């Protein structure tokens, strides 16, 4: 049986594991678009913290999109899975990178318009996604956040593979996962409803979180 009904329910469960951060004046929550944003929304709502997105995108294998050869994050932060990248021609890698950079730029405008991202320097940052398989995308996100000098960086997810948990635990100040599995499979198998999160939902959740009085 899938432990989570959907991403919002997973976010509510994750928030309960993070309540020791509730009420901190320096707390910020960042969701990884798109699927991490519904999870992060529930965390931010429960903890009373501002919500933003950290733009990051998996670099899918040219012949098998679900297989990550790496990831790219805002600021042109690149992380690679060398055992996969090493089998590909540079021309194919560059084509994937061009598409990924274009998509990051599109999402930046779609989610924020002209609004600047939250300032992370000196903040306690909770970086949230709906789950980790290889951890490559989250590693790119972690490195992007660290470049903006937060005081503390916490990665929090409902589910993770053992491999990804070890990878991210070594990089973050704290790693929180409700379920870590050595026989992971895919993130989607841990959700009853794992439908695609669309841009409109991301925009609506960010707008809802930004309303005065929307946070406890």
């Amino acid at each position: 049986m899938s432990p989570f009904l959907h991403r919002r329910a997973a976010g509510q469960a994750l928030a309960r594991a993070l309540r020791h951060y509730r009420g901190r004046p320096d707390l910020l929550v960042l969701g990884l678009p798109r699927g991490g944003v519904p999870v992060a929304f529930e965390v931010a709502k429960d903890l009373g913290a501002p919500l933003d997105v950290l733009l990051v995108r998996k670099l899918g294998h040219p012949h098998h999109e679900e297989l990550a050869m790496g990831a790219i994050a805002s600021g042109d932060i690149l992380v690679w899975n060398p055992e996969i990248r090493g089998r590909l021609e540079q021309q194919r890698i560059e084509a994937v990178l061009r598409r990924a950079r274009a998509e990051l730029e599109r999402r930046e405008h779609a989610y924020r318009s002209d609004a600047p991202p939250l300032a992370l320097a000196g903040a306690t940052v909770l970086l949230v996604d709906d789950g980790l398989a290889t951890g490559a995308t989250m590693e790119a996100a972690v490195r992007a956040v660290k470049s903006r000098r937060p005081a503390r960086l916490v990665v929090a997810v409902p589910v993770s593979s053992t491999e990804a948990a070890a990878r991210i635990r070594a990089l973050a100040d704290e790693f929180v996962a409700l379920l870590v599995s050595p026989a992971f499979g895919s993130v989607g198998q841990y959700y009853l409803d794992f439908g695609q999160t669309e841009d409109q939902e991301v925009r609506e959740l960010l707008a809802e979180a930004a309303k005065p009085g929307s946070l406890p």
Side-chain angles (χ1 to χ4, degrees), residues 28-192:
L28 302 174
V29 178
L30 301 182
L32 270 59
R34 290 178 286 200
V37 175
V39 183
F41 175 83
E42 295 296 336
V43 171
K45 183 171 69 172
D46 188 277
L47 302 185
L51 175 67
D52 200 359
V53 293
L54 192 287
L55 291 167
V56 61
R57 184 162 176 82
K58 178 178 68 178
L59 300 172
H61 191 286
H63 305 304
H64 183 30
E65 181 62 29
E66 290 304 308
L67 181 62
M69 64 178 183
I72 184 171
S74 297
D76 212 27
I77 304 291
L78 284 166
V79 171
W80 297 103
N81 284 329
E83 67 279 6
I84 298 174
R85 181 194 181 191
R87 303 183 206 136
L88 294 170
E89 298 174 359
Q90 187 62 30
Q91 184 177 355
R92 292 184 180 274
I93 293 171
E94 290 296 332
V96 172
L97 269 175
R98 282 196 299 272
R99 290 194 296 271
R101 286 173 174 137
E103 178 62 10
L104 282 186
E105 184 176 345
R106 185 197 69 78
R107 290 187 182 187
E108 183 84 40
H109 179 74
Y111 301 155
R112 285 207 187 93
S113 295
D114 296 323
L118 293 176
L120 305 185
T124 296
V125 177
L126 300 185
L127 190 53
V128 177
D129 202 0
D130 54 10
L132 304 180
T134 68
T137 302
M138 183 58 79
E139 182 177 340
V142 166
R143 295 190 185 281
V145 171
K146 281 189 169 183
S147 72
R148 292 157 69 180
R149 301 189 179 278
R152 183 172 178 79
L153 173 57
V154 181
V155 173
V157 294
V159 295
S160 175
S161 69
T162 302
E163 171 196 4
R167 182 177 189 170
I168 300 305
R169 192 176 282 116
L171 298 172
D173 296 306
E174 183 180 354
F175 177 73
V176 177
L178 302 182
L179 177 62
V180 176
S181 173
F184 189 75
S186 66
V187 174
Q189 76 184 56
Y190 297 91
Y191 291 83
L192 187 62

